[in-house]
């Protein structure tokens, strides 16, 4: 594998963060899961983020959109849009 191919296969932290939910839900393809796990093995920041998300899920369980107030839904959508634009 050439340097370019290895470099292209590596994930940036922003990409890794975007995959965490699918990773925890078992929804990633085998290659994407392997790429994320390689990134996590070398990135303490993303590993910490993954553990924070696991802790949050364990503490809160599952929140259904219908259970959130309209204001909370709008705040979450706005936060997500700022993140995507970021």
């Amino acid at each position: 594998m050439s340097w370019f191919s290895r470099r292209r296969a590596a994930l940036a932290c922003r990409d890794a963060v975007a995959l965490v939910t699918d990773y925890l839900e078992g929804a990633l393809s085998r290659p994407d899961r392997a790429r994320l796990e390689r990134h996590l093995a070398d990135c303490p920041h993303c590993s910490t983020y993954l553990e924070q998300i696991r802790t949050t899920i364990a503490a809160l369980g599952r929140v259904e959109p219908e259970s959130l107030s309209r204001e909370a839904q709008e705040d979450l959508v706005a936060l997500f849009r700022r993140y995507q634009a970021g």
Side-chain angles (χ1 to χ4, degrees):
M1 180 181 277
S2 72
W3 177 86
F4 179 75
S5 296
R6 283 193 309 270
R7 181 77 178 137
R8 206 177 107 191
L11 285 176
C13 290
R14 181 181 179 115
D15 297 327
V17 166
L19 294 174
V20 164
T21 300
D22 287 343
Y23 177 75
L24 291 173
E25 292 177 352
L28 289 180
S29 67
R30 183 175 291 172
D32 285 342
R33 182 178 188 86
R35 287 177 65 211
L36 179 59
E37 288 174 346
R38 281 193 305 271
H39 180 85
L40 292 169
D42 291 333
C43 183
H45 304 291
C46 288
S47 295
T48 298
Y49 175 75
L50 175 63
E51 288 310 311
Q52 289 171 338
I53 296 300
R54 282 184 170 144
T55 300
T56 301
I57 291 169
L60 298 177
R62 185 174 188 93
V63 177
E64 298 298 328
E66 300 79 31
S67 68
L68 297 173
S69 70
R70 181 86 171 145
E71 181 181 352
Q73 290 179 24
E74 290 171 1
D75 287 347
L76 288 171
V77 168
L79 179 64
F80 177 74
R81 287 185 178 148
R82 284 194 305 272
Y83 169 76
Q84 290 293 347

